[in-house]
Structures are given as structure tokens and as C-alpha cells.
Amino acid sequence: MQGWLDETGIWQFSMEVHHGRLRCATYETGIRLGKGNPACSNVEWLTGIEPVSRLRHCNSATRIHAGGGEISRAASRFAETSCVRVVVRCEGNC
């Protein structure tokens, strides 16, 4: 996975998500920004989960989930941001 966030709150994210089944499922990805220690444990989350993508996967497919956006709160707290959480959710035959 790869991504970036700039001081204005603009972000971009991309990652591969693998579906290990033949029957279809829908995957959602998202990111969340926070501040914490270098290991990102005991994090204070600064944003809610920002959606990246929602894609349907079938036949053991790997698909790239990519997207971007703007986090308005991040612009004023950019210097505090030290952790990113990647969220992957699945519905269907996961």
C-alpha cells in the first residue's frame, strides 16, 4: 500500500486487496488519521474513517483500491498527525 497526506489535508491512497474465494464479495477501504507514539499504539484518532473505495471482487481476484480526498480537520492538525489506520471491510462471501 502507498499513500500521502499534505499539510492542506489533501490525501491519496492505493492498495491491493485480495479476495480468496470464487463467489463474489464487496470490499470497502478507508483511512483514519491520528496521533500516537512511534508504534502507533494508544492512538488518539483525529478523524473519522474517510472512505477510499468500494469494489466487488469475484473469482479469487486481487483488485487495486485507490482514491483521494480532503480532510478539513487534518489541515489544522497536520503537525500532530503521526499514525494512519487502514480499514478494510467485506460484505458477502468473504
Side-chain angles (χ1 to χ4, degrees), residues 1-14 31 33 67-69 71 78 84:
M1 80 184 71
Q2 60 185 356
W4 53 264
L5 167 70
D6 71 16
E7 65 276 354
T8 67
I10 303 292
W11 60 271
Q12 188 75 33
F13 176 81
S14 175
I31 62 167
L33 306 176
I71 302 172
F78 178 77
V84 176

Side-chain angles (χ1 to χ4, degrees), residues 48-64:
I49 297 171
E50 297 289 327
V52 175
S53 64
R54 180 178 171 89
L55 297 172
R56 185 171 167 90
H57 293 235
C58 300
N59 300 323
S60 299
T62 297
R63 296 189 68 186
I64 296 174

Side-chain angles (χ1 to χ4, degrees), residues 12-86:
Q12 188 75 33
F13 176 81
S14 175
M15 75 178 289
E16 289 184 351
V17 176
H18 179 70
H19 174 66
R21 298 187 180 247
L22 291 176
R23 298 186 78 192
C24 301
T26 301
Y27 288 83
E28 290 181 333
T29 59
I31 62 167
R32 189 174 196 188
L33 306 176
K35 68 177 183 175
N37 60 25
C40 287
S41 60
N42 196 25
V43 176
E44 175 189 341
W45 296 109
L46 304 173
T47 67
I49 297 171
E50 297 289 327
V52 175
S53 64
R54 180 178 171 89
L55 297 172
R56 185 171 167 90
H57 293 235
C58 300
N59 300 323
S60 299
T62 297
R63 296 189 68 186
I64 296 174
H65 287 248
E70 181 176 1
I71 302 172
S72 58
R73 270 187 83 191
S76 62
R77 299 184 78 179
F78 178 77
E80 296 178 66
T81 302
S82 58
C83 301
V84 176
R85 179 182 187 186
V86 175

